[in-house]
Amino acid sequence: MEQVWSGQPNGALVSETAGLLPGKALDVGCGEGADAVWLAEHGWDVTALDVSQAALARAARHAEHARVPVRWVHAGLVEASLPPGTFDLVSAQYPALLRTEDHDAEAALLAAVAPGGTLLVVHHANIDEEQLRARGIEPEDYVSRSDVAALLDDTWRIEVNETRPRHVTAGAGSHHTHDVILRARRLN
Ligand SMILES: C[S@@+](CC[C@H](N)C(=O)[O-])C[C@H]1O[C@@H](n2cnc3c(N)ncnc32)[C@H](O)[C@@H]1O
């Protein structure tokens, strides 16, 4: 099957991790693994998680080609039962996490971050909701930036919460022109 994504790391990941010391990273919904591979190439100890076995197989090939180690986990974020407070960086780039009444996915994202660690959640801005609904996708069913932000209490410092232009000219998703970026630091 053809590769769907560009193979390039997401721009927001590259820019938002520029000031961070590499440690343990979790890439949630890693897809074909471009971000996971890029993080590993830049000194991070990477765990990458996705529900799609096909995406993970491609991601593993990508990592093999780049000769970097990445721990691939075939599971949903909530079902993975990750050890809490472990990751210096938890990155979710364009996540398609189902929203639940108990906010399970958002809670799992926050719980995975180590004290002093960074949570980075990036969504597409200006989504054409009608077009999604025409394709049978209900945007309200998915965790949004504000769902995550709503759980950030005073044990977190929000460092970035803004919409920025995105520069992607090729591959699936290249029609999205702006990102919504939420970056927060876990204080304790
Ligand atoms: C829009 S893609 C984004 C992929 C990648 N992060 C990127 O930026 O190219 C969303 C990914 O999330 C995965 N996914 C969906 N639900 C998930 C869940 N509950 N836990 C982990 N991954 C999930 C999908 O299989 C898909 O690979």
Side-chain angles (χ1 to χ4, degrees):
M1 211 211 252
E2 285 291 301
Q3 178 171 318
V4 179
W5 304 97
S6 69
Q8 296 300 313
N10 287 304
L13 175 82
V14 174
S15 63
E16 297 308 316
T17 57
L20 302 180
L21 267 184
K24 293 180 82 159
L26 174 69
D27 185 359
V28 176
C30 64
E32 294 184 352
D35 286 357
V37 167
W38 184 87
L39 285 165
E41 286 174 334
H42 288 78
W44 291 84
D45 172 4
V46 184
T47 299
L49 172 115
D50 206 289
V51 286
S52 164
Q53 183 62 64
L56 286 173
R58 287 191 207 123
R61 282 202 296 276
H62 188 166
E64 222 171 277
H65 186 71
R67 295 175 186 272
V68 288
V70 174
R71 210 169 293 108
W72 304 105
V73 178
H74 181 211
L77 169 64
V78 174
E79 295 74 20
S81 301
L82 296 160
T86 299
F87 296 96
D88 305 295
L89 171 68
V90 172
S91 171
Q93 303 276 330
Y94 316 111
L97 299 169
L98 279 177
R99 178 185 273 151
T100 60
E101 246 174 55
D102 293 335
H103 307 286
D104 300 295
E106 303 93 304
L109 281 175
L110 271 61
V113 181
T118 295
L119 174 67
L120 176 62
V121 181
V122 179
H123 283 91
H124 294 301
N126 311 320
I127 293 289
D128 186 337
E129 297 198 347
E130 284 318 307
Q131 203 181 60
L132 285 178
R133 289 192 183 100
R135 290 166 48 205
I137 300 167
E138 175 50 58
E140 291 296 313
D141 289 346
Y142 292 90
V143 170
S144 69
R145 177 262 306 262
S146 46
D147 293 324
V148 179
L151 293 195
L152 298 173
D153 60 18
D154 59 5
T155 63
W156 293 83
R157 182 175 66 232
I158 295 180
E159 297 178 327
V160 176
N161 189 6
E162 61 191 50
T163 300
R164 286 213 207 117
R166 173 180 190 261
H167 306 286
V168 176
T169 52
S174 55
H175 58 289
H176 292 289
T177 60
H178 286 73
D179 284 331
V180 179
I181 302 174
L182 176 65
R183 193 185 82 204
R185 173 81 57 139
R186 181 171 171 184
L187 302 177
N188 54 51

